[in-house]
Amino acid sequence: MLAVVFPLGALLAWFLSTLGSGFSLIPSPGEVGMALYDLAFGGVYDDAFSETLVTHALASMSRVFGGFALAAAVALPLGMMIGRVPLVRAILDPTLQLLRPVPVTAWLPLAMIVFGLGPRSAFFLVFLGAFYPVLINTVFGVRSVEPRLFEAAAMLGLSPSASFAKVVLPAALPSIFTGLRLGLGFAWVVIVVGEMTGVQTGLGAIIMEARQLSRTEIVICGMAVIGVLGFVSDKLVMLIGQRLLRWSPQHG
Amino acid sequence: MVEAILDVRGVSKRFAFNGESVTALTDANLRIEKGEFVCLIGPSGCGKSTLLRMVAGFESVSDGELLMWTKPVTGPGPDRGMVFQDYGLFPWLTVRKNIGFGPVARGRPAKEVRATEERFVEMVGLTRFADAFPHQLSGGMKQRVAIARVLANDAEVVLMDEPFGALDAMTRERLQAELLEIWAKQKLTVLFVTHAIEEAIVLADRVVVMSPGPGRIVADERIDLPRPRDPTSPEFNAMRRHLGGLLAGHH
Ligand SMILES: Nc1ncnc2c1ncn2[C@@H]1O[C@H](COP(=O)(O)OP(=O)(O)O)[C@@H](O)[C@H]1O
Ligand SMILES: [Mg+2]
C-alpha cells in the first residue's frame, strides 16, 4: 500500500508541474501515455516510432538475456575453479582483479574498435557487465563453505571427489544466486549505453534517436519500459531463487 | 585380554602455530572396549577436542599410535561418527535427507536409504519434523538429527564433542537420557567430551580426566553406580567431589 503512495504522488507532482505555462520541455503524463500507446500499438501518430516497441524490446531483451547467459556460462565454471583450485586462482585472479575496477562503459570505445559499430558491441558490454558480479559471488560462495561441513561429510563416508557436488555447490548456491541477480540487473543498466551508438534497434537506440529528434515523451517511454522489464526479470530470478533456496533463512 | 575397539598408545599432538610448535596433547594412553561409554573431562585447552579429532581422523597424530580394531586410523570414516557442538548439519537438506546423507554417500540402494531415514527419524522422535530444514529446528532437535545421522550410518564409535554444551539445562537432561537409551539399545561405543563433572557422572562408565599445559591424561576413573543415576545421592556427590579434586590437581 505504502509502496503505491509515493509513485502516485510523484506522478501527480509531475502532472501539476506540466500544467499551464507554455514552458513544455517536459511532456505531461498524458502525452507520455499516448506516446507509449502509439509506440506499442500504433494508430495515433503513425510516424517512424509507431508500433515499434515490441521490436525494440525484443532486441534489447535478446541482448540482455543472451549476454547474461554467456556471462553466466563463462563466469560460473571460472568462478568455481578460481575458488577451489589454487593453481587457477594463482594464474587468473590477479589479472581479473586488476581489470575489475575498469567501469564497463569505459570498454565501449575499445569494444567498438574490436566488434565494430553495432549490436555486437552492445552484446559484449552486457556480457562484461554481467560477468563480474556472477564471477565474484561464485568465487566467494565456493570459498566460504564452512570447514565443518567438509568434516561432517567426510565422517559420514563421502569421498573427497564427491564433495564438490554434494557440499560445495549447494553451500555456494545462495551466493551464486546473489551474483546472478546482480549480474542481470547490471545487464539492464549496460544495455542502454551499449545500444546508444550505431545500433538500429533496441530500447537504448530509440531513446537515443528520440533524444536527437527532441521527442522527450518517447525517451520517457523507453526509460519506463526498461524499468519494467528489468524489474520483471529481477523478480523472475528471485522467484527461481526462492524455490531453490527454501532451506536458507535469508532466501526462503 | 579383550581386544580394544580403540587403542590410543603414547599419542602426542603438536601444532605449528605462528611458526612455533604448540603441544596440544602429550603421551596419551587410552584403551576403550566395545560398548563402553567414556567421558573426557578437563578444563578448556587440555586437548580434549584434539584427542577426539585424532580418533575421528580429522587430525594426524604427531607421535604414538592410534588404533581402531588394531588398525591405525588414517582418516575420517563412517565407522567413527562425530557429533559436533555446532551440529554441522547440511542446511540445504531436510531432517530426513540429513539423516540419509551417509547411506547415500556410501552408495546404498535408494529403497534401503529410505527405510533407514524413516527408522532413525522415528528413533530420535522427529517424525513431525522430517521435512523441516535445520534452520527451522531448535538446538535440541538439531542435535538429535546430528546423532541420528551417525547412527543411520552404522557408526560403531560415536564421538561427541561437548554436544549438549549449547543447550538449555532441561533439553540437556532429556538428551542425556535419550542418548543413554540409544547407547544401550544399539550397543554403541561412545567417547564423549564435556567440561561438566555432573554430565560425565550421569553418563559414563569411565571418566578420563585431563589437564592442560601441556594437555595430558591425569586419571581414568570407573563409575560403578547403577543407571539412571541420581545426582542427589550421596554416592554421586562423593564421585563429584573425587573428580573435582582430580581436576583441581590434588590427587
Ligand atoms: N589447529 C590448531 N592449531 C594450533 N593450535 C591448536 C589447534 N587446535 C588446538 N590447538 C591448541 O591445542 C590445545 C588444546 O586444544 P583443544 O584440544 O581444543 O582443547 P579442549 O578441547 O580441551 O578445550 C590448545 O592450547 C589449543 O590452542
Ligand atoms: Mg574443545
Side-chain angles (χ1 to χ4, degrees):
Chain A
M1 198 43 222
L2 276 174
V4 182
V5 172
F6 180 73
L8 282 183
L11 207 63
L12 189 69
W14 174 18
F15 176 70
L16 292 175
S17 71
T18 54
L19 274 184
S21 66
F23 175 74
S24 61
L25 278 177
I26 306 280
S28 72
E31 285 175 86
V32 172
M34 193 66 91
L36 187 59
Y37 181 87
D38 185 61
L39 200 59
F41 309 109
V44 183
Y45 305 120
D46 284 322
D47 55 18
F49 291 108
S50 299
E51 238 183 306
T52 58
L53 182 65
V54 175
T55 316
H56 291 300
L58 281 180
S60 288
M61 278 163 71
S62 73
R63 286 169 203 140
V64 164
F65 289 112
F68 169 73
L70 189 64
V74 179
L76 287 174
L78 198 63
M80 290 171 198
M81 286 196 289
I82 290 176
R84 302 290 332 166
V85 187
L87 183 67
V88 178
R89 176 156 63 245
I91 293 172
L92 291 179
D93 203 43
T95 314
L96 288 167
Q97 292 299 337
L98 207 67
L99 289 176
R100 185 160 78 103
V102 180
V104 175
T105 44
W107 283 88
L108 185 59
L110 197 61
M112 292 191 323
I113 294 168
V114 177
F115 296 103
L117 263 165
R120 281 202 293 166
S121 285
F123 189 87
F124 171 73
L125 284 198
V126 168
F127 168 81
L128 211 58
F131 179 77
Y132 273 103
V134 178
L135 182 82
I136 305 234
N137 283 281
T138 304
V139 173
F140 174 79
V142 298
R143 286 199 71 176
S144 47
V145 183
E146 260 188 87
R148 175 70 80 234
L149 297 180
F150 291 109
E151 291 182 352
M155 66 92 186
L156 290 170
L158 191 76
S159 69
S161 60
S163 76
F164 185 80
K166 292 281 194 169
V167 179
V168 175
L169 267 192
L173 212 54
S175 284
I176 290 175
F177 251 95
T178 303
L180 290 174
R181 226 184 124 190
L182 286 173
L184 190 56
F186 244 77
W188 278 108
V189 171
V190 170
I191 187 64
V192 180
V193 182
E195 286 175 344
M196 277 185 172
T197 36
V199 184
Q200 302 306 316
T201 57
L203 296 164
I206 42 168
I207 289 178
M208 207 56 194
E209 201 180 322
R211 191 195 75 93
Q212 275 157 1
L213 300 172
S214 299
R215 294 284 300 274
T216 313
E217 74 279 8
I218 304 271
V219 172
I220 297 175
C221 290
M223 291 166 60
V225 171
I226 289 171
V228 169
L229 289 178
F231 178 80
V232 170
S233 61
D234 183 59
K235 277 280 167 283
L236 216 66
V237 175
M238 234 171 77
L239 270 172
I240 297 171
Q242 271 171 356
R243 283 212 66 127
L244 284 173
L245 300 172
R246 259 187 324 129
W247 55 269
S248 164
Q250 282 84 43
H251 294 77
Chain B
M1 192 160 76
V2 192
E3 209 145 76
I5 185 168
L6 284 175
D7 197 354
V8 179
R9 294 187 182 172
V11 165
S12 298
K13 178 67 185 178
R14 288 180 296 276
F15 289 106
F17 186 70
N18 284 342
E20 277 178 56
S21 167
V22 179
T23 302
L25 186 69
T26 185
D27 193 30
N29 289 285
L30 183 63
R31 273 174 57 89
I32 297 175
E33 273 161 31
K34 186 163 174 64
E36 276 192 302
F37 198 127
V38 177
C39 279
L40 300 177
I41 69 169
S44 87
C46 68
K48 305 182 295 293
S49 296
T50 301
L51 179 53
L52 209 67
R53 292 174 55 77
M54 285 191 293
V55 176
F58 296 142
E59 307 280 358
S60 59
V61 304
S62 303
D63 291 315
E65 283 191 300
L66 206 160
L67 310 173
M68 177 161 180
W69 290 131
T70 71
K71 286 192 204 52
V73 166
T74 53
D79 52 347
R80 283 150 293 133
M82 181 97 157
V83 176
F84 305 97
Q85 179 169 15
D86 57 5
Y87 320 115
L89 300 179
F90 303 107
W92 56 89
L93 297 179
T94 59
V95 165
R96 190 195 306 279
K97 296 294 166 196
N98 262 286
I99 292 174
F101 187 94
V104 170
R106 291 181 303 128
R108 308 305 306 162
K111 233 180 111 187
E112 182 193 314
V113 171
R114 264 199 308 280
T116 308
E117 286 168 2
E118 262 350 283
R119 187 166 148 237
F120 287 94
V121 163
E122 206 185 299
M123 175 178 295
V124 293
L126 287 175
T127 310
R128 274 180 52 224
F129 294 90
D131 296 310
F133 289 100
H135 81 269
Q136 300 167 310
L137 305 178
S138 70
M141 282 151 65
K142 284 183 204 170
Q143 208 52 298
R144 284 193 181 93
V145 178
I147 293 169
R149 77 172 172 184
V150 299
L151 301 181
N153 218 14
D154 287 328
E156 251 191 306
V157 176
V158 179
L159 307 167
M160 308 181 89
D161 195 351
E162 306 197 29
F164 308 147
L167 307 178
D168 62 87
M170 255 162 47
T171 310
R172 181 164 46 226
E173 274 176 37
R174 282 223 357 231
L175 278 172
Q176 287 168 353
E178 289 175 24
L179 175 63
L180 283 175
E181 204 176 299
I182 293 172
W183 162 73
K185 202 166 85 189
Q186 307 280 312
K187 307 207 177 352
L188 299 172
T189 306
V190 178
L191 188 54
F192 186 109
V193 168
T194 176
H195 55 242
I197 297 180
E198 298 222 352
E199 185 165 61
I201 306 175
V202 167
L203 296 172
D205 292 322
R206 274 165 67 198
V207 178
V208 173
V209 182
M210 297 178 68
S211 173
R216 63 195 187 281
I217 294 176
V218 294
D220 188 341
E221 301 293 306
R222 190 158 286 284
I223 314 259
D224 278 325
L225 308 176
R227 292 188 177 91
R229 292 171 180 160
D230 173 9
T232 59
S233 71
E235 296 85 353
F236 196 105
N237 263 310
M239 187 49 84
R240 189 188 343 232
R241 262 194 309 279
H242 177 59
L243 291 175
L246 288 171
L247 277 171
H250 24 88
H251 302 239

